[in-house]
Amino acid sequence: MWHGDYRFVLENLVLKDFKVRYRNMSLGVFWSLLNPLIMMTVLTLVFTRFMPNTTRGYPVAVLCGLVPFNFFTLAWANGTTSLIDNANLIKRVPIPREVVPISIVLSNCLNLAIQFGVLFAFTLIFGYRANAAWAWIPLISFFYILFVLGLVLATSALDVYLRDMRYVVESANTVLFWLVPIVYGFDIIPGGFRQMYELNPIAAMVMALRRIIMQASAPAPTLVWKLALGSVATLGAGWMIFRALERRFYDHL
Amino acid sequence: MNRIEFEGVSKKFLLEGGRKLLRGHLRDLWKGAGSEVFYALRELSFTVREGESLAVIGSNGAGKSTLLNVITRLCPPDEGRVSIHGRLSAVLELGSGFHNDLTGIENLRLNASLFGMSRKQTAELFERIVAFSGVGEFITQPLRTYSAGMVMRLAFSVAIHVDPDILVVDEAFGVGDDAFQAKCIERMLAFRRAGKTMVCVSHSMGTLRQMCDRALWLDHGQVILQGPVAEVIAAYQGRTVARA
């Protein structure tokens, strides 16, 4: 039984992760702005100059993919190793253990917020207007974050038992970069694969974001439903896996 | 009222330890895993009543730290029943959770929250914790500029200001210079006078005699003797000397 202040611990752990990450960089948070912009430039160069492509606003479309995807890869990779990285806390301080992976995901949310700022700035620079559909962004982001949280809870617990989990996650991230519509649009997906695409919360997030920002319209209700259900299901499963595996963390760390 | 109750508690570990890659798990599946089991605690029963202070003694590897980890619920026992009544705070390793790149203030807040202090309590006790640690101006500096002694003093200072019903301490007395140690012992004696319950593990028999009224002597995870602190320590020292 732990009688502490859950929110206070979470807040301190989030701040710790965020500060430690950026304090040792001379450019600090600026790095997290630079990374998606460099990727956007390179991908735009390759996919509009080197390869024939007439998509309007391609750089913005790419950025709509990169921002959620970057959050996903960073949070998932850092979250997965978080229990082992903080083994001294897990083994030596009686705290509710899920605060460790949760704090990593939340600290990456600060990063996501900054990247959203970059996305909005570029949206305006490329001639799109802010519109009423933007009001959907907090809701879809919320479900998207729940999805990442569920995934991180599951893989962080598994990583304690199977130390190769982190390599599985790394490989999955590389594969997902191509399976999520980042450099291409949903319209090129053949009919048979469309259902599967929409069930992937990362793809759903990217598609919803593009529609909101580039077409100034609300995302399709079925897509939002799929995102919501997929996220809540992932979180539920992740939580149960974490709870079940947590009992033997001590023996395996 | 009993604060801590242990009934036939056992804790076993696999000898090879938990760390394993997929390869290891597959090999075990293939061969039909037959790892050797080792009992860190074996059918342990005891109680600690409110206001009592229990010393746990024994040679290295006797199971003292495992016992504390079971009390704090860091590791669940394999057999038996453990009940803890009241708020518990544990100092198992000073400075767990500290980070070198954070300032003293940031580490203090983080550590206080991990020990279960609320935002309000931390704010109220902040000045006293800093004063007790004696790190002074350094509190605004990153931890990596501290000497080892200063880190320990700050960590101990946070730990000692948590106000639980049960305090569990593992080998944390030997911190800082003589003056600081005297302050720590004074603080823990005050904690006892306030009617709180303590469980201490240490190799410093003098400190334990001063701090505790009962003792539990462990060897290979089993109780050899329990009773008044002076008697148990005398028996333990007699046996250690006889062996040597």
Side-chain angles (χ1 to χ4, degrees):
Chain A
M1 236 57 52
W2 188 76
H3 301 83
D5 186 335
Y6 206 98
R7 277 186 53 193
F8 188 44
V9 173
L10 213 47
E11 176 194 308
N12 281 316
L13 283 174
V14 169
L15 288 175
K16 170 193 162 190
D17 185 61
F18 196 74
K19 285 174 181 163
V20 166
R21 183 138 27 110
Y22 290 112
R23 200 162 277 176
N24 286 331
M25 300 183 187
S26 49
L27 293 175
V29 179
F30 186 67
W31 277 119
S32 64
L33 309 184
L34 212 56
N35 178 291
L37 295 183
I38 292 172
M39 281 295 280
M40 179 191 79
T41 313
V42 173
L43 291 173
T44 305
L45 184 72
V46 172
F47 287 98
T48 64
R49 292 296 150 88
F50 300 172
M51 289 171 79
N53 187 341
T54 53
T55 317
R56 191 179 152 261
Y58 187 78
V60 176
V62 166
L63 211 51
C64 282
L66 283 175
V67 167
F69 187 77
N70 274 348
F71 163 73
F72 173 79
T73 38
L74 282 178
W76 195 25
N78 295 332
T80 297
T81 58
S82 63
L83 290 171
I84 290 173
D85 296 342
N86 290 286
N88 65 335
L89 271 189
I90 301 297
K91 270 197 99 160
R92 291 281 170 258
V93 189
I95 46 166
R97 280 137 170 184
E98 68 277 6
V99 293
V100 171
I102 292 176
S103 72
I104 301 293
V105 174
L106 292 183
S107 137
N108 276 287
C109 287
L110 294 176
N111 201 13
L112 176 66
I114 297 168
Q115 295 212 5
F116 259 124
V118 178
L119 172 63
F120 293 147
F122 267 78
T123 304
L124 300 178
I125 291 170
F126 278 88
Y128 295 91
R129 297 261 176 81
N131 63 70
W134 282 26
W136 280 92
I137 294 176
L139 184 76
I140 58 171
S141 303
F142 172 74
F143 284 122
Y144 186 56
I145 292 165
L146 290 190
F147 161 70
V148 177
L149 213 51
L151 205 58
V152 164
L153 281 172
T155 55
S156 64
L158 284 168
D159 194 43
V160 174
Y161 291 75
L162 283 172
R163 302 291 162 114
D164 355 35
M165 201 62 215
R166 64 188 64 193
Y167 307 114
V168 175
V169 169
E170 265 174 37
S171 309
N173 272 332
T174 316
V175 172
L176 279 168
F177 182 82
W178 299 103
L179 286 184
V180 170
I182 297 171
V183 298
Y184 53 87
F186 187 55
D187 45 304
I188 68 158
I189 312 290
F193 289 96
R194 294 201 162 192
Q195 274 282 344
M196 259 161 55
Y197 258 81
E198 289 186 345
L199 280 174
N200 172 359
I202 317 164
M205 175 72 188
V206 173
M207 292 188 290
L209 199 57
R210 277 190 185 147
R211 194 174 159 99
I212 290 166
I213 285 183
M214 302 181 71
Q215 287 160 36
S217 58
T222 52
L223 189 67
V224 177
W225 272 114
K226 280 177 187 162
L227 176 62
L229 289 177
S231 302
V232 172
T234 310
L235 183 62
W239 182 262
M240 272 155 51
I241 290 173
F242 191 90
R243 275 276 162 267
L245 296 181
E246 182 198 26
R247 283 188 55 77
R248 304 214 73 86
F249 278 177
Y250 183 89
D251 299 1
H252 289 264
L253 277 171
Chain B
M1 175 185 153
N2 285 336
R3 284 292 190 194
I4 302 172
E5 292 168 28
F6 268 55
E7 263 181 54
V9 172
S10 296
K11 173 71 200 171
K12 53 192 175 192
F13 291 105
L14 296 179
L15 266 184
E16 62 184 18
R19 274 160 219 235
K20 230 186 245 185
L21 291 171
L22 186 58
R23 171 160 31 95
H25 286 276
L26 289 176
R27 195 174 44 222
D28 283 357
L29 264 180
W30 185 252
K31 285 188 187 167
S35 328
E36 261 188 89
V37 167
F38 138 85
Y39 277 85
L41 297 177
R42 202 189 279 269
E43 294 181 23
L44 210 60
S45 298
F46 67 91
T47 55
V48 184
R49 298 171 61 80
E50 181 168 17
E52 264 183 346
S53 177
L54 179 75
V56 182
I57 57 177
S59 47
N60 286 326
K64 304 186 297 291
S65 295
T66 308
L67 173 62
L68 295 195
N69 289 335
V70 173
I71 293 179
T72 54
R73 296 182 185 283
L74 283 167
C75 82
D78 293 304
E79 292 151 32
R81 198 178 62 86
V82 176
S83 13
I84 308 291
H85 309 278
R87 289 175 56 113
L88 183 145
S89 166
V91 191
L92 299 182
E93 195 175 276
L94 281 177
S96 329
F98 270 20
H99 198 289
N100 267 335
D101 290 331
L102 297 180
T103 68
I105 296 175
E106 288 162 346
N107 274 305
L108 188 159
R109 280 172 60 89
L110 173 60
N111 230 239
S113 69
L114 292 171
F115 276 127
M117 280 163 77
S118 69
R119 184 190 309 272
K120 202 167 143 253
Q121 286 168 324
T122 309
E124 281 166 5
L125 291 172
F126 181 81
E127 296 295 335
R128 277 163 63 187
I129 296 173
V130 176
F132 191 91
S133 73
V135 299
E137 302 281 289
F138 273 91
I139 197 69
T140 57
Q141 297 298 312
L143 208 68
R144 76 180 107 78
T145 65
Y146 286 36
S147 70
M150 283 163 74
V151 175
M152 292 293 114
R153 262 155 44 202
L154 183 62
F156 196 81
S157 190
V158 178
I160 202 81
H161 282 85
V162 184
D163 191 30
D165 302 315
I166 309 162
L167 181 66
V168 174
V169 188
D170 191 355
E171 273 311 350
F173 310 114
V175 167
D177 51 23
D178 289 348
F180 188 74
Q181 279 191 34
K183 258 191 348 186
C184 293
I185 290 177
E186 178 42 46
R187 175 87 201 180
M188 287 171 74
L189 289 174
F191 185 82
R192 274 202 62 192
R193 283 194 296 274
K196 304 297 178 83
T197 309
M198 268 197 323
V199 179
C200 304
V201 163
S202 175
H203 288 290
S204 152
M205 298 300 149
T207 316
L208 288 180
R209 268 199 209 96
Q210 202 179 347
M211 207 93 74
C212 304
D213 36 27
R214 279 184 54 222
L216 186 80
W217 171 8
L218 280 184
D219 192 38
H220 292 95
Q222 285 170 303
V223 180
I224 302 291
L225 186 66
Q226 54 175 321
V229 70
E231 274 174 36
V232 179
I233 287 181
Y236 173 66
Q237 283 175 331
R239 170 154 161 178
T240 321
V241 170
R243 257 194 202 158

Short mmCIF file of all heavy atoms in Angstrom, two decimals, chain B residues 11-41:
data_model
loop_
_atom_site.label_atom_id
_atom_site.label_comp_id
_atom_site.label_asym_id
_atom_site.label_seq_id
_atom_site.Cartn_x
_atom_site.Cartn_y
_atom_site.Cartn_z
N LYS B 11 10.55 -16.81 0.77
CA LYS B 11 10.84 -16.15 -0.50
C LYS B 11 11.98 -16.91 -1.16
O LYS B 11 13.02 -17.13 -0.55
CB LYS B 11 11.26 -14.70 -0.27
CG LYS B 11 11.75 -13.98 -1.50
CD LYS B 11 10.62 -13.70 -2.47
CE LYS B 11 11.17 -13.44 -3.86
NZ LYS B 11 10.11 -13.38 -4.87
N LYS B 12 11.74 -17.36 -2.39
CA LYS B 12 12.81 -18.09 -3.06
C LYS B 12 13.20 -17.40 -4.36
O LYS B 12 12.40 -16.69 -4.97
CB LYS B 12 12.40 -19.54 -3.32
CG LYS B 12 11.08 -19.69 -4.03
CD LYS B 12 10.62 -21.14 -3.98
CE LYS B 12 9.23 -21.25 -4.61
NZ LYS B 12 8.58 -22.51 -4.38
N PHE B 13 14.44 -17.60 -4.74
CA PHE B 13 14.94 -17.05 -6.00
C PHE B 13 15.49 -18.19 -6.84
O PHE B 13 15.97 -19.19 -6.30
CB PHE B 13 16.07 -16.05 -5.75
CG PHE B 13 15.61 -14.78 -5.11
CD1 PHE B 13 15.87 -14.54 -3.77
CD2 PHE B 13 14.92 -13.83 -5.84
CE1 PHE B 13 15.45 -13.36 -3.17
CE2 PHE B 13 14.51 -12.67 -5.25
CZ PHE B 13 14.76 -12.42 -3.92
N LEU B 14 15.44 -18.00 -8.15
CA LEU B 14 16.13 -18.95 -9.03
C LEU B 14 17.59 -18.57 -9.01
O LEU B 14 17.94 -17.40 -9.06
CB LEU B 14 15.58 -18.86 -10.46
CG LEU B 14 14.11 -19.25 -10.59
CD1 LEU B 14 13.65 -19.11 -12.03
CD2 LEU B 14 13.92 -20.69 -10.12
N LEU B 15 18.45 -19.56 -8.94
CA LEU B 15 19.87 -19.28 -8.74
C LEU B 15 20.49 -18.45 -9.86
O LEU B 15 21.37 -17.64 -9.64
CB LEU B 15 20.65 -20.58 -8.56
CG LEU B 15 20.84 -20.96 -7.10
CD1 LEU B 15 21.70 -22.20 -6.97
CD2 LEU B 15 21.45 -19.81 -6.29
N GLU B 16 20.03 -18.67 -11.09
CA GLU B 16 20.68 -17.96 -12.20
C GLU B 16 20.26 -16.51 -12.30
O GLU B 16 20.79 -15.77 -13.12
CB GLU B 16 20.36 -18.67 -13.50
CG GLU B 16 18.88 -18.68 -13.80
CD GLU B 16 18.56 -19.46 -15.05
OE1 GLU B 16 19.42 -20.25 -15.46
OE2 GLU B 16 17.47 -19.28 -15.58
N GLY B 17 19.28 -16.09 -11.49
CA GLY B 17 18.84 -14.70 -11.55
C GLY B 17 17.86 -14.53 -12.68
O GLY B 17 17.68 -15.41 -13.51
N GLY B 18 17.21 -13.39 -12.70
CA GLY B 18 16.11 -13.21 -13.64
C GLY B 18 16.51 -12.82 -15.04
O GLY B 18 15.83 -13.11 -16.01
N ARG B 19 17.64 -12.12 -15.16
CA ARG B 19 18.01 -11.56 -16.46
C ARG B 19 18.10 -12.61 -17.54
O ARG B 19 18.85 -13.56 -17.43
CB ARG B 19 19.37 -10.86 -16.35
CG ARG B 19 19.25 -9.45 -15.89
CD ARG B 19 20.56 -8.98 -15.36
NE ARG B 19 20.28 -8.17 -14.19
CZ ARG B 19 20.70 -6.93 -14.05
NH1 ARG B 19 21.43 -6.39 -14.97
NH2 ARG B 19 20.40 -6.24 -12.98
N LYS B 20 17.36 -12.43 -18.58
CA LYS B 20 17.37 -13.44 -19.61
C LYS B 20 16.99 -12.82 -20.94
O LYS B 20 16.15 -11.94 -21.01
CB LYS B 20 16.34 -14.49 -19.26
CG LYS B 20 16.90 -15.89 -19.32
CD LYS B 20 15.80 -16.87 -19.10
CE LYS B 20 16.00 -17.65 -17.82
NZ LYS B 20 14.99 -18.69 -17.68
N LEU B 21 17.60 -13.29 -21.97
CA LEU B 21 17.18 -12.90 -23.31
C LEU B 21 16.26 -14.00 -23.83
O LEU B 21 16.14 -15.06 -23.23
CB LEU B 21 18.41 -12.76 -24.23
CG LEU B 21 19.30 -11.57 -23.89
CD1 LEU B 21 20.58 -11.62 -24.70
CD2 LEU B 21 18.58 -10.26 -24.14
N LEU B 22 15.65 -13.70 -24.95
CA LEU B 22 14.73 -14.65 -25.56
C LEU B 22 15.39 -16.02 -25.70
O LEU B 22 14.82 -17.05 -25.40
CB LEU B 22 14.31 -14.11 -26.93
CG LEU B 22 13.23 -14.87 -27.66
CD1 LEU B 22 11.97 -14.95 -26.81
CD2 LEU B 22 12.93 -14.23 -28.99
N ARG B 23 16.65 -15.97 -26.12
CA ARG B 23 17.45 -17.19 -26.29
C ARG B 23 17.38 -18.07 -25.03
O ARG B 23 17.15 -19.27 -25.11
CB ARG B 23 18.88 -16.71 -26.57
CG ARG B 23 19.95 -17.71 -26.58
CD ARG B 23 21.19 -17.19 -27.34
NE ARG B 23 21.45 -15.76 -27.32
CZ ARG B 23 22.26 -15.14 -26.46
NH1 ARG B 23 22.87 -15.82 -25.52
NH2 ARG B 23 22.46 -13.85 -26.52
N GLY B 24 17.55 -17.45 -23.86
CA GLY B 24 17.54 -18.19 -22.60
C GLY B 24 16.20 -18.84 -22.33
O GLY B 24 16.13 -20.00 -21.92
N HIS B 25 15.13 -18.08 -22.59
CA HIS B 25 13.79 -18.63 -22.36
C HIS B 25 13.54 -19.82 -23.28
O HIS B 25 12.98 -20.83 -22.87
CB HIS B 25 12.74 -17.56 -22.63
CG HIS B 25 12.67 -16.53 -21.54
ND1 HIS B 25 11.93 -16.72 -20.41
CD2 HIS B 25 13.25 -15.32 -21.42
CE1 HIS B 25 12.06 -15.66 -19.62
NE2 HIS B 25 12.86 -14.79 -20.22
N LEU B 26 13.97 -19.68 -24.54
CA LEU B 26 13.76 -20.76 -25.49
C LEU B 26 14.55 -22.00 -25.07
O LEU B 26 14.03 -23.11 -25.11
CB LEU B 26 14.20 -20.32 -26.90
CG LEU B 26 13.29 -19.28 -27.56
CD1 LEU B 26 13.86 -18.85 -28.90
CD2 LEU B 26 11.89 -19.84 -27.75
N ARG B 27 15.78 -21.77 -24.61
CA ARG B 27 16.61 -22.90 -24.20
C ARG B 27 15.94 -23.65 -23.05
O ARG B 27 15.89 -24.87 -23.03
CB ARG B 27 18.00 -22.39 -23.77
CG ARG B 27 19.03 -23.49 -23.68
CD ARG B 27 20.40 -22.91 -23.39
NE ARG B 27 20.35 -21.90 -22.37
CZ ARG B 27 21.02 -20.75 -22.42
NH1 ARG B 27 21.78 -20.48 -23.44
NH2 ARG B 27 20.93 -19.89 -21.44
N ASP B 28 15.37 -22.88 -22.10
CA ASP B 28 14.71 -23.51 -20.96
C ASP B 28 13.50 -24.31 -21.40
O ASP B 28 13.25 -25.40 -20.89
CB ASP B 28 14.27 -22.44 -19.96
CG ASP B 28 15.45 -21.96 -19.14
OD1 ASP B 28 16.55 -22.51 -19.34
OD2 ASP B 28 15.26 -21.06 -18.31
N LEU B 29 12.74 -23.75 -22.35
CA LEU B 29 11.57 -24.45 -22.86
C LEU B 29 12.01 -25.77 -23.49
O LEU B 29 11.40 -26.81 -23.29
CB LEU B 29 10.89 -23.60 -23.94
CG LEU B 29 9.73 -22.73 -23.49
CD1 LEU B 29 9.17 -21.96 -24.67
CD2 LEU B 29 8.63 -23.60 -22.88
N TRP B 30 13.07 -25.68 -24.25
CA TRP B 30 13.59 -26.83 -24.98
C TRP B 30 14.03 -27.93 -24.02
O TRP B 30 13.65 -29.07 -24.11
CB TRP B 30 14.75 -26.35 -25.86
CG TRP B 30 15.33 -27.38 -26.76
CD1 TRP B 30 16.52 -28.00 -26.63
CD2 TRP B 30 14.73 -27.92 -27.92
NE1 TRP B 30 16.70 -28.89 -27.65
CE2 TRP B 30 15.61 -28.86 -28.46
CE3 TRP B 30 13.50 -27.69 -28.57
CZ2 TRP B 30 15.34 -29.59 -29.61
CZ3 TRP B 30 13.23 -28.42 -29.73
CH2 TRP B 30 14.13 -29.34 -30.23
N LYS B 31 14.83 -27.51 -23.03
CA LYS B 31 15.42 -28.49 -22.12
C LYS B 31 14.46 -28.90 -21.01
O LYS B 31 14.71 -29.86 -20.32
CB LYS B 31 16.66 -27.90 -21.45
CG LYS B 31 17.89 -27.82 -22.34
CD LYS B 31 19.05 -27.39 -21.47
CE LYS B 31 20.31 -27.12 -22.26
NZ LYS B 31 21.29 -26.42 -21.42
N GLY B 32 13.39 -28.12 -20.81
CA GLY B 32 12.54 -28.33 -19.65
C GLY B 32 13.26 -27.74 -18.45
O GLY B 32 14.07 -28.41 -17.82
N ALA B 33 12.97 -26.48 -18.17
CA ALA B 33 13.75 -25.69 -17.22
C ALA B 33 13.91 -26.40 -15.88
O ALA B 33 12.95 -26.85 -15.28
CB ALA B 33 13.08 -24.35 -17.01
N GLY B 34 15.13 -26.50 -15.42
CA GLY B 34 15.35 -27.09 -14.12
C GLY B 34 16.31 -26.27 -13.30
O GLY B 34 17.29 -26.79 -12.79
N SER B 35 16.03 -24.94 -13.22
CA SER B 35 16.93 -24.07 -12.48
C SER B 35 16.87 -24.40 -11.00
O SER B 35 15.84 -24.82 -10.48
CB SER B 35 16.54 -22.61 -12.66
OG SER B 35 15.99 -22.42 -13.91
N GLU B 36 17.97 -24.20 -10.31
CA GLU B 36 17.99 -24.48 -8.89
C GLU B 36 17.37 -23.35 -8.11
O GLU B 36 17.53 -22.18 -8.44
CB GLU B 36 19.43 -24.70 -8.43
CG GLU B 36 19.75 -26.17 -8.32
CD GLU B 36 21.10 -26.38 -7.69
OE1 GLU B 36 21.15 -26.47 -6.45
OE2 GLU B 36 22.09 -26.40 -8.43
N VAL B 37 16.67 -23.72 -7.05
CA VAL B 37 15.97 -22.73 -6.24
C VAL B 37 16.75 -22.49 -4.95
O VAL B 37 17.34 -23.42 -4.40
CB VAL B 37 14.55 -23.23 -5.92
CG1 VAL B 37 13.91 -22.40 -4.84
CG2 VAL B 37 13.71 -23.23 -7.18
N PHE B 38 16.74 -21.22 -4.54
CA PHE B 38 17.45 -20.92 -3.31
C PHE B 38 16.53 -20.09 -2.42
O PHE B 38 15.88 -19.17 -2.90
CB PHE B 38 18.76 -20.22 -3.69
CG PHE B 38 19.16 -19.06 -2.85
CD1 PHE B 38 19.87 -19.26 -1.69
CD2 PHE B 38 18.84 -17.77 -3.24
CE1 PHE B 38 20.26 -18.19 -0.92
CE2 PHE B 38 19.22 -16.69 -2.47
CZ PHE B 38 19.94 -16.90 -1.32
N TYR B 39 16.41 -20.50 -1.18
CA TYR B 39 15.49 -19.79 -0.27
C TYR B 39 16.20 -18.63 0.41
O TYR B 39 17.16 -18.84 1.14
CB TYR B 39 14.96 -20.76 0.80
CG TYR B 39 13.79 -21.57 0.32
CD1 TYR B 39 13.98 -22.75 -0.39
CD2 TYR B 39 12.48 -21.13 0.55
CE1 TYR B 39 12.90 -23.50 -0.84
CE2 TYR B 39 11.40 -21.87 0.10
CZ TYR B 39 11.61 -23.04 -0.60
OH TYR B 39 10.55 -23.76 -1.05
N ALA B 40 15.74 -17.40 0.14
CA ALA B 40 16.30 -16.23 0.81
C ALA B 40 15.65 -16.07 2.18
O ALA B 40 16.27 -15.59 3.13
CB ALA B 40 16.07 -14.99 -0.03
N LEU B 41 14.38 -16.47 2.28
CA LEU B 41 13.68 -16.47 3.57
C LEU B 41 12.94 -17.79 3.65
O LEU B 41 12.36 -18.25 2.67
CB LEU B 41 12.66 -15.33 3.65
CG LEU B 41 13.18 -13.90 3.58
CD1 LEU B 41 12.00 -12.94 3.59
CD2 LEU B 41 14.11 -13.59 4.74
#
